Amino acid sequence: MSGLAIRNLAKHYGRGAEAVPVFSGVSFDVAPGEFVAIVGPSGVGKSTLLNCLAALDTWDAGSVALDGADLSALDETQRALWRRRHVGFVFQAFHVLPHLDVAQNVALPLMLLGRHDGARVAAMLDAVGLRGLGARLPQQLSGGQLQRVAIARALVHQPRLLLADEPTGNLDPGTAAQVMDLLLAQTRQHGAALVLVTHSETAAARADRVIHLRADGVH
């Protein structure tokens, strides 16, 4: 099946009788171009689940597949290469590199793939409303502009899966709405499967579907 497919995913910390369940029985699909929000109380494992979807963390049962490729079959090196090609990340803390200018930050995924495409970087900066700001350093930008840099960086290599962890958490309501507009527009345009973890009811209301995560699965 095209898109993201999660089947009966389970995660525990520890082993044997002392194992602590994080979540279990998690199953859902996300089609290309679809936006799914994951909500739930603090400590239920939302960010851990997101890390599993990116194969950054391991799981104890179930499967994660993107466009039919089962991540369980990949070793650590293969998972890293898979992430580099197919996954884009947007986080609450931006995670831009302060010593690189805006254009260089956006170009990082392409550089890691051995692709140098200045025209693509310029097009992404234009798409997120940062035309002419490529030579600026991160400290010269506002929080909203930094999140736009993060979105451009996440999408510049046209990933099949876009993962966002509280991307509007550090922004005022007006800027948060603008960032969500941009994130959704770019996701639809590029046909990425978007999974967003959030505590924001406003952000979750924009989703095509909302998944409520609990320790015993999704609802």
Side-chain angles (χ1 to χ4, degrees):
M1 176 183 174
S2 181
L4 182 68
I6 311 302
R7 295 291 179 271
N8 297 315
L9 205 67
K11 171 72 176 176
H12 298 78
Y13 288 130
R15 295 182 179 276
E18 297 182 355
V20 177
V22 182
F23 51 75
S24 63
V26 174
S27 297
F28 62 93
D29 298 302
V30 188
E34 184 179 20
F35 169 25
V36 169
I38 297 177
V39 301
S42 297
V44 77
K46 299 186 297 299
S47 293
T48 300
L49 174 59
L50 211 64
N51 287 338
C52 288
L53 302 189
L56 282 167
D57 204 347
T58 58
W59 51 92
D60 302 309
S63 64
V64 178
L66 183 68
D67 295 337
D70 186 353
L71 304 190
S72 302
L74 305 181
D75 63 26
E76 188 173 341
T77 299
Q78 290 171 326
R79 289 183 181 192
L81 292 173
W82 173 85
R83 276 193 300 275
R84 190 176 296 179
R85 295 188 185 105
H86 300 297
V87 181
F89 294 93
V90 183
F91 297 105
Q92 180 176 349
F94 314 137
H95 293 302
V96 297
L97 298 180
H99 60 285
L100 299 182
D101 65 30
V102 167
Q104 290 169 330
N105 268 285
V106 172
L108 275 174
L110 295 175
M111 293 171 61
L112 290 171
L113 291 169
R115 294 158 47 191
H116 300 276
D117 191 341
R120 173 69 182 161
V121 172
M124 282 307 309
L125 288 174
D126 190 21
V128 300
L130 295 177
R131 177 189 291 182
L133 301 184
R136 292 196 181 183
L137 292 172
Q139 57 264 36
Q140 296 174 294
L141 301 183
S142 68
Q145 288 173 322
L146 287 171
Q147 194 59 290
R148 290 168 183 264
V149 172
I151 292 171
R153 181 184 57 194
L155 288 165
V156 71
H157 59 305
Q158 296 180 300
R160 298 293 297 152
L161 176 62
L162 186 62
L163 302 174
D165 194 352
E166 295 285 2
T168 61
N170 285 332
L171 305 176
D172 63 83
T175 304
Q178 293 174 4
V179 164
M180 284 302 303
D181 288 342
L182 174 61
L183 191 59
L184 279 170
Q186 290 297 310
T187 299
R188 308 291 195 209
Q189 179 179 340
H190 291 276
L194 169 60
V195 181
L196 178 144
V197 163
T198 185
H199 285 101
S200 168
E201 294 182 3
T202 302
R206 305 286 299 275
D208 299 310
R209 285 185 294 128
V210 177
I211 291 174
H212 296 266
L213 183 63
R214 301 197 314 223
D216 61 342
V218 298
H219 302 270

